Amino acid sequence: MTPYAAPVRDVRFVLEEMLEHGSLALPGFEEASPDLVEAVLEEAARLAGEVWAPLNASGDRQGCRLHDGQVRVPDGFIEAYRAYAEGGWNGIGVSESLGGQGLPEVVASAVQEMLHGANMALGLCPMLTAGAIEALAHHGSEAQQAIYLPKLVEGTWTGTMNLTEPQAGSDLSKVRTRAVPCPDEEGDHYRLFGQKIYITWGEHDAAENIIHLVLARKPDAPEGNKGISLFLVPKFLVNADGSLGERNDVTCASIEHKLGIHGSPTCTLSFGEGAGAIGYRVGEEGRGLNHMFTMMNEARHKVGIQGIGVAERACQHAFAYALDRVQGRSPRSGHSDCTISDHLDVRRMLLSMRARTDALRALALFCAAQLDQARHAADEGERAAAQARVDVLIPVVKSFSTDQAVEIASLGIQVHGGMGFIEETGAAQLLRDARIAPIYEGTNGIQALDLAGRKLQRDGGAALEGLIGEVEATAQALEAQGELADLGKSLAGGAADLRAAMAAVLEAGADPEQGADAVQAYATPFLSLAGHVLCAWQMGEAALKASAAMAAGSDDPFYRAKQQSADYAIRQWLPVGRAQRAVIEAGMASLAAFDASAH
Amino acid sequence: MTPYAAPVRDVRFVLEEMLEHGSLALPGFEEASPDLVEAVLEEAARLAGEVWAPLNASGDRQGCRLHDGQVRVPDGFIEAYRAYAEGGWNGIGVSESLGGQGLPEVVASAVQEMLHGANMALGLCPMLTAGAIEALAHHGSEAQQAIYLPKLVEGTWTGTMNLTEPQAGSDLSKVRTRAVPCPDEEGDHYRLFGQKIYITWGEHDAAENIIHLVLARKPDAPEGNKGISLFLVPKFLVNADGSLGERNDVTCASIEHKLGIHGSPTCTLSFGEGAGAIGYRVGEEGRGLNHMFTMMNEARHKVGIQGIGVAERACQHAFAYALDRVQGRSPRSGHSDCTISDHLDVRRMLLSMRARTDALRALALFCAAQLDQARHAADEGERAAAQARVDVLIPVVKSFSTDQAVEIASLGIQVHGGMGFIEETGAAQLLRDARIAPIYEGTNGIQALDLAGRKLQRDGGAALEGLIGEVEATAQALEAQGELADLGKSLAGGAADLRAAMAAVLEAGADPEQGADAVQAYATPFLSLAGHVLCAWQMGEAALKASAAMAAGSDDPFYRAKQQSADYAIRQWLPVGRAQRAVIEAGMASLAAFDASAH
């Protein structure tokens, strides 16, 4: 596998030139200077490239092993995780009051991309811990926070999310795991009984303890969502002095044999095979799903980031191969024995991979910057406006980045020709790994429903309309620049398509005859259109910044490359997305009438 | 893995109702009645479903093993292959004069789809043998035909294609394997020295002998294509009486560890580690590449068929899961605990898979029917016209079917949610298997160059223009039918887009400034556009036939399902393809200026 070089320059272009380090100007980030951010990125790149990336292929080959209920992760993973935790990386996005470094989300997101690009399977471990930290920080009692947060933030312990059960996947209202309150004299805890599946890093040997956050219901709880509460179930019980006590009654029954992310143990956990797993309720009774969704929104952003990390690695892999592999004659120079990067059809694949990865990254970091605004802006109105954008952007970042990552990884295989199909090359692993991201943390179909259904319908499209206005402003700025005028025109067309499609989806949603049903039929095409337009918008911004830098005298080839990337994204990629307007406007009558059993 | 039921009804719809059994009316097929074809399809479906399909997952898990130069294929494969050979299936498309059954290519193609859908890894073995039969039938001497063809046609021996070497992949002019003529007194053979890679079923234990067809060059041959000749190298030498003699000096050095088709051994073969592998020249000296291309065109059609087989199986898998998996509440009925096939976003995925698979099958079988015409039509002009269409259609069938198969298999995973990522489910294998098809037998990029470069430029687009005319005729017929008028309009729009894009590609090709270079930049978008329009055309035809059947009083739900499929293909799928016109018209200046090393 080609060595991985974290894309520091590309990330800095987005943070410094596109976002102009806006997050650093927010209250609470006074100590985070551009220099500090640069140093953090450089150091993260070193960890990712030198420590995590070399274990990606070996971890895939070796996978995880379950023996006597104990999971062993691949060789080297424990040390690589420790290097990460000891370097303080687990807390970089966590606020200082909780023991973290309190850096902005844009910076934390950039670092996450590097780690996932280096080793997605290992990256999942801290990703899940971050969810547990978030849940406890928002909903845990003071005592719970005091006991569990410091260890989770420093990464000595890791966290998990226990949601899915065999009958409860996308529909969590069907959760059956029982949490039985203990008699008063025994304490304030519960005993949990049930089985959870697909638990990422649910059991492993890389940390001293594992803190499971578990959805379960009390025996007398009502059916449906309102009966579900959130519980904390440690692998090892924690004594009053913070030391580890007894092993809790939670065991790993099996680990899954998966298409990819072999280095990440996906566990079936059994709670209460004996006297019951001791658990503590987190937050309010009956509000477990709500509490879980607090953190799930951010977890979805992180999954989008994960897709981008893998896409970046696929790019690097494909570029390195194409620049090295000699085959055929260049049709331009007539040169025989050119590298395949000389063939325009190969260039098309490379540029398509690069342009999309650039665009997805810019959009995801824009969304992260809005998260920073939503949390830290001094003005309440600004915070609310940023949050409204975040709400619209997160399903797009999650779905669109991950769907595209699968396509980019698949194109990466194609660039390699026959070599791409051979596992040793490493390109195939990236497709295998990427393929989970459109599924977990809410399938991409669920994301599309969240966007076209909940998010769009509840504010009548106001937040997205605001973003479309910004797309149009960028289009106008491009049109005002001689050589970028064509891009501006295309982008304006994309904005118009998105507005028209939004109107159609809102109209369908408002129609009591069709309602939720029609919205569901249009949801995925609509999300795809939104993703293409918003990504093209970001690349329009990138083109403007690159153009300004060159006009100011820079001859850094980076800017020219970024302009080519923008050119491809807007001319060759956006039109494919714009076609989704026609898909939506053609109507979806065939879906309502569709009878799967007749096909 | 869900049992596989070969799509007999769908195939019969195409052969009987869409193609009206046109091939059976050709000279040479007098004995092939519709009843016979029906019986053949039913029997093939039985073999595919009962004998081959059950070994698909186990073959994937077990893979092939190399020990002491001997490859063992997965358990059960030898018996399944024998059942196939003993049933006479290997010769169904081979002419009776060569010992085959001489059925039309449309029928043989339909059977191939069933076998690949059942077990693509095993299906590759006879697919390669068919190539060897083709090569010998066209270019072998009478003596060679007498010795090798009967055994290959009956399937007692299998065949391989030895083209690729480490430095010679898409560019076969770089082949270095040497064929040294033996001194006169020794005989008319050669001794071959060299290494070939990616040899499908290059070594195995399922047949008594393996006949390798090998591209090599004589020591005094000129460089480049013209120095390459084709040689026949048997694994075991064949005595004058037809019995097997000594082991030849060709050995399997290694087998590849691949993303998919684990049951198909992909071998590195070493020729001449000792005294040299004895080989016999096939056809003319220096014409090896030409001879190879004779059969490669048909092999490409077969790879397209293979994609369709896997796509069909992915459909069946996804439909079965979606009709069984209970999750969530139906937004229409408000019914809680519906199957996921009730959710419109899931229906969208299912119908997208089904519509595309139907369309790809119809186009591939249309192409096969043209192959029958090209070979058997009484009139020379008709034969030539059919061949011109075949030339245009084959790159489309190969690339478009295989690219789509990858997407369909990936959608199949998505329909399964978390289960899709678990290998035991079987959906992931279909993606892993399908992923090779866009690569081998000429990458899909090479196919696109063949279409937009060679095929289109040499006749000025005449053959494709003829097909576009037929698309328009279908569009008019749809427009004349009240309820199908909208489909006709969309289809006519697609035809117009394809014509405009063709004009742009022809213009670029005629421009001495741009020439081959520009054509290469547009090739893949152009092929994608052509694939979408031609597939939509076929579904327009399907809608007309289904409509006619219903108008004639049929209440078979099959016809209604086929109309839904056509409706989706034309309304929701075609627009995405039509966007490629905008991609082409936006120009590809960024590709010419692109410098991969700067990205």
Side-chain angles (χ1 to χ4, degrees), chain A residues 84-301:
Chain A
Y84 160 90
E86 285 162 11
W89 293 103
N90 207 44
I92 62 160
V94 179
S95 78
E96 288 170 287
S97 64
L98 300 175
Q101 269 120 78
L103 285 171
E105 190 65 37
V106 273
V107 180
S109 294
V111 170
Q112 285 155 21
E113 190 215 300
M114 295 177 184
L115 294 170
H116 288 302
N119 194 323
M120 176 175 161
L122 181 52
L124 278 162
C125 177
M127 186 170 130
L128 271 292
T129 304
I133 292 170
E134 200 72 32
L136 287 173
H138 281 96
H139 306 295
S141 67
E142 268 183 48
Q144 287 169 344
Q145 292 186 358
I147 298 170
Y148 299 101
L149 274 181
K151 295 285 195 183
L152 287 169
V153 172
E154 70 186 36
T156 318
W157 300 349
T158 65
T160 72
M161 300 285 130
N162 285 247
L163 287 72
T164 307
E165 299 176 11
Q167 78 294 342
S170 294
D171 182 4
L172 290 171
S173 72
K174 301 292 179 205
V175 157
R176 283 190 203 142
T177 296
R178 284 178 308 129
V180 183
C182 292
D184 278 354
E185 62 271 24
E186 222 190 298
D188 63 346
H189 57 267
Y190 294 73
R191 289 207 178 252
L192 274 75
F193 301 88
Q195 195 182 62
K196 293 286 182 180
I197 60 172
Y198 302 155
I199 309 309
T200 300
W201 285 80
E203 163 57 26
H204 62 85
D205 55 350
E208 293 169 10
N209 202 2
I210 303 173
I211 308 305
H212 304 292
L213 286 168
V214 186
L215 289 181
R217 57 175 83 243
K218 285 172 63 180
D220 59 351
E223 285 200 1
N225 292 345
K226 288 180 185 161
I228 300 173
S229 304
L230 181 63
F231 298 87
L232 183 157
V233 180
K235 174 179 172 182
F236 290 101
L237 298 173
V238 181
N239 299 321
D241 65 355
S243 63
L244 295 185
E246 267 181 75
R247 185 74 162 77
N248 205 350
D249 183 11
V250 48
T251 52
C252 177
S254 62
I255 57 175
E256 304 289 356
H257 174 220
K258 307 186 298 292
L259 175 61
I261 52 167
H262 294 164
S264 166
T266 302
C267 306
T268 296
L269 294 185
S270 293
F271 293 86
E273 299 215 314
I278 291 176
Y280 312 94
R281 203 183 69 230
V282 176
E284 292 174 53
E285 191 169 314
R287 305 261 304 156
L289 270 183
N290 299 61
H291 296 343
M292 207 49 122
F293 277 112
T294 314
M295 77 194 111
M296 209 182 272
N297 225 16
E298 293 177 33
R300 289 172 173 184
H301 184 260

Side-chain angles (χ1 to χ4, degrees), chain B residues 207-232:
Chain B
E208 293 169 10
N209 202 3
I210 303 174
I211 309 305
H212 304 293
L213 287 167
V214 186
L215 289 182
R217 58 174 82 242
K218 284 173 64 180
D220 58 351
E223 286 201 359
N225 293 344
K226 288 180 183 162
I228 299 174
S229 302
L230 182 62
F231 298 88
L232 183 156

